[in-house]
Amino acid sequence: EAEISNIRSVGYEPWLNAQMDAPISQTGVAWLSSRGYDQITADNFFDNEYPGDYMIWNQLMSDANGVRKRVALALSEFFVVSLTGLDFSWRAQAIAFYWDQLNANAFGSYRKLLEDVTLNPAMGYYLSTRGNRKEDTRTGRVPDENYAREVMQLFTIGLYQLNNDGTRKLDANNQPIETYTNSDVTNLARVFTGYNWDFTGNVKTPATNDPNRQINSTGYVLRPMTIDNTKWEFPSTTSQHSALEVNFLGTNIPANTDAPPASITPLDALFNHANVGPFFSKQMIQRLVTSNPSTAYVDRVAKVFNNNGSGTRGDLRAVFKAILLDDEAMNAAGLTAPTFGKVREPILRFTQWARTFGATSTSGNWRIGNLSDLVSGLGQSALRSPSVFNFFRPGYVPANTAIATNSLVAPEFQLVNESSTPGYVNFMTSAIGSTNGVGGDVKAAYTTELTIAHDSTALLDRICLLLAANQISAASKATIKTALDATTVTQTSTTAEKQRRIYMAVLLVMASPDYLIQK
């Protein structure tokens, strides 16, 4: 309520500027360290993923830097690295460092973010840049093409040439024009060879449960990969960076070019490609505002990506301000437009519940693990995409629906099925009303709600305002109120009786179609 009052007082843009200016309160890596998860103990944190889950839920659910974290989460679904795909010591620290880089760059330069992502140790493992070796004519080995393909297909330019409004360019036969060829991938793959983790200052410590096993210190997952083979865990006298000439997308890198210049040149070329503005901008609009933005909306944001008004390209602060403050995002007409809006991701619903009702961790460790399971969890868990293609595709169309009939897309609907729908309701039922807390640890206080629980109208009005911006329909509110009033609750009722009414009100709002579709 204080935030609502503040934004009404100062205005949208000043409020947003203040949010973007706020310093990062605590990094994910620092939080892991503060809880002792970087220590070599009998718990073998170095071999476990769960501290990474605890870290990201703490980051998303804690109060500070809400706008920055929301944008970083959107970025994590564009530049995908999944904790599920990491299998090395200190993987929780690695995913925390990746998250921290997304968070730090959220309002900075897209070009810097692209380079940080490229050299990140978790990304290096996930898309096999780490340890990627140059060609060997004796054995027929060629460089791994994984990152070269995905940095173009998913992180920068996409598969087809685009107009600035996000629509596809067509050739003389009315067919889409591909942005790159297999030759471009093969050539670009040579650039991303010779990199490995940086073990500068590494110290090995015997594992508590196995003194014969030596555990590296955390530093190698907390700094960019290096081309300097003297800094590798197993130093090599031979560089593994390809010395061949590179030609891709009209860019030439001469043979025998040293690795850092060779890797910088293609990132510059990709960053300056005309596709990047519309390709990136449209997907960020989809993540934050609406699944089917108009071409004019995409064009306006892409123009800001191309030039922030001061001649700077890729200024993410300007881009995200353009997305959030655009008339199409702010206009009340969107509340009733059938093509406007998006499905709220399960991650966002759960996080909103925690932030809205003051959830805290009894232990301080935020013991919420992997919630990907469709039956026992949310069917989605932050930083745990099942593949590099994210939890859902930007062009997903649910079959045999009015969405398909009207040539629309609904990316988040890819998470909706016969198992995930009741699974979500069951999980939230447990989370909302748990006496021990989610994971036996994280629970909401409902402090303000308890003071008005006897007044079903006031209680419902408050919950509808905070969770759904007063967008729950009159019919839905009437249905929920009838359910609440079926059991009498007065000011003298017990705390348990008041809590049951609050739990029911929160659950029914969060299960309603009016809430599940964000307008």
Side-chain angles (χ1 to χ4, degrees):
E1 289 178 315
E3 275 191 319
I4 293 171
S5 177
N6 182 29
I7 198 170
R8 292 183 69 177
S9 173
V10 303
Y12 296 123
E13 187 169 7
W15 182 87
L16 193 55
N17 283 332
Q19 293 289 311
M20 290 178 165
D21 289 339
I24 294 172
S25 58
Q26 185 181 44
T27 66
V29 169
W31 183 83
L32 286 173
S33 180
S34 74
R35 307 307 301 173
Y37 287 121
D38 59 351
Q39 301 300 306
I40 296 175
T41 69
D43 294 297
N44 286 5
F45 297 131
F46 50 82
D47 272 346
N48 284 292
E49 298 174 356
Y50 68 82
D53 292 311
Y54 295 178
M55 176 280 304
I56 191 58
W57 290 121
N58 166 262
Q59 284 280 304
L60 295 177
M61 291 178 169
S62 57
D63 284 341
N65 306 120
V67 173
R68 179 180 291 273
K69 290 170 182 174
R70 178 66 189 89
V71 168
L73 185 64
L75 292 172
S76 78
E77 296 181 351
F78 184 85
F79 298 100
V80 175
V81 168
S82 176
L83 182 57
T84 304
L86 305 184
D87 187 14
F88 51 85
S89 295
W90 303 118
R91 66 201 74 170
Q93 280 68 21
I95 201 67
F97 180 56
Y98 190 71
W99 164 259
D100 288 344
Q101 288 200 308
L102 297 179
N103 208 27
N105 286 306
F107 305 130
S109 162
Y110 178 95
R111 174 61 182 81
K112 183 179 185 301
L113 174 58
L114 181 60
E115 186 166 334
D116 284 350
V117 163
T118 300
L119 298 181
N120 183 275
M123 177 62 82
Y125 183 93
Y126 191 61
L127 290 184
S128 49
T129 311
R130 184 207 57 99
N132 189 14
R133 295 186 291 171
K134 63 184 178 182
E135 64 287 331
D136 187 335
T137 55
R138 297 170 302 168
T139 63
R141 185 187 71 226
V142 295
D144 186 289
E145 297 179 351
N146 204 7
Y147 189 75
R149 180 175 291 104
E150 305 309 353
V151 74
M152 290 193 289
Q153 179 181 351
L154 300 177
F155 302 162
T156 54
I157 62 177
L159 294 173
Y160 301 104
Q161 292 184 29
L162 302 174
N163 297 303
N164 201 62
D165 63 5
T167 58
R168 292 178 180 176
K169 292 183 177 180
L170 303 177
D171 62 17
N173 297 316
N174 215 34
Q175 296 299 308
I177 306 168
E178 294 184 351
T179 52
Y180 60 87
T181 66
N182 193 60
S183 174
D184 292 317
V185 175
T186 300
N187 273 259
L188 185 57
R190 298 169 188 165
V191 169
F192 302 118
T193 53
Y195 283 93
N196 216 315
W197 289 328
D198 184 347
F199 281 88
T200 300
N202 185 56
V203 176
K204 290 182 177 289
T205 304
T208 304
N209 295 336
D210 182 4
N212 294 319
R213 182 180 174 192
Q214 298 291 308
I215 307 302
N216 293 310
S217 49
T218 60
Y220 77 101
V221 301
L222 304 179
R223 62 174 68 97
M225 293 187 296
T226 180
I227 201 74
D228 184 349
N229 56 14
T230 66
K231 297 180 179 180
W232 298 349
E233 183 175 17
F234 304 106
S236 170
T237 57
T238 305
S239 170
Q240 287 299 325
H241 181 70
S242 175
L244 294 181
E245 181 183 22
V246 171
N247 288 287
F248 89 107
L249 299 180
T251 297
N252 174 264
I253 303 173
N256 301 311
T257 301
D258 291 337
S263 59
I264 295 298
T265 300
L267 294 183
D268 285 342
L270 289 171
F271 171 61
N272 287 299
H273 193 287
N275 259 36
V276 181
F279 183 73
F280 175 77
S281 298
K282 183 174 182 178
Q283 290 192 51
M284 290 300 101
I285 294 171
Q286 287 184 309
R287 296 290 65 73
L288 297 170
V289 180
T290 182
S291 297
N292 295 277
S294 69
T295 55
Y297 186 5
V298 175
D299 184 55
R300 288 191 294 270
V301 176
K303 284 176 178 175
V304 173
F305 183 99
N306 298 338
N307 185 338
N308 67 352
S310 301
T312 301
R313 179 178 177 82
D315 175 358
L316 293 181
R317 179 183 177 119
V319 169
F320 285 111
K321 283 183 67 175
I323 290 172
L324 296 172
L325 298 175
D326 190 87
D327 182 65
E328 191 164 324
M330 304 289 284
N331 198 307
L335 298 176
T336 54
T339 60
F340 188 84
K342 62 188 287 292
V343 176
R344 294 183 198 262
E345 298 172 53
I347 290 171
L348 296 176
R349 303 173 209 163
F350 183 43
T351 299
Q352 186 191 23
W353 163 78
R355 295 175 70 91
T356 299
F357 301 109
T360 56
S361 166
T362 302
S363 70
N365 290 328
W366 293 84
R367 292 176 178 154
I368 306 174
N370 180 2
L371 299 182
S372 300
D373 187 80
L374 292 174
V375 178
S376 63
L378 281 173
Q380 187 190 27
S381 204
L383 301 179
R384 279 193 177 272
S385 170
S387 78
V388 72
F389 295 102
N390 192 29
F391 303 99
F392 39 79
R393 301 305 302 273
Y396 177 75
V397 180
N400 303 313
T401 64
I403 295 170
T405 301
N406 287 279
S407 301
L408 302 173
V409 300
E412 292 85 354
F413 257 112
Q414 197 167 347
L415 294 172
V416 179
N417 56 51
E418 297 89 340
S419 297
S420 67
T421 300
Y424 161 69
V425 174
N426 290 340
F427 176 82
M428 289 308 302
T429 301
S430 175
I432 290 166
S434 174
T435 55
N436 295 322
V438 184
D441 187 46
V442 178
K443 54 186 175 182
Y446 305 109
T447 304
T448 301
E449 288 71 32
L450 280 168
T451 66
I452 56 173
H454 62 282
D455 185 341
S456 61
T457 298
L459 176 66
L460 189 54
D461 284 347
R462 174 179 170 80
I463 292 170
C464 289
L465 170 66
L466 298 184
L467 289 180
N470 274 342
Q471 292 176 30
I472 304 300
S473 69
S476 293
K477 287 183 73 172
T479 299
I480 296 171
K481 189 176 186 306
T482 298
L484 298 181
D485 290 340
T487 301
T488 301
V489 176
T490 68
Q491 283 184 291
T492 59
S493 295
T494 65
T495 298
E497 290 171 328
K498 293 177 181 178
Q499 286 173 330
R500 279 195 293 272
R501 173 174 275 189
I502 294 167
Y503 301 158
M504 181 184 292
V506 173
L507 177 65
L508 291 178
V509 169
M510 295 189 73
S512 68
D514 315 65
Y515 169 78
L516 294 172
I517 302 299
Q518 173 188 307
K519 286 285 193 177

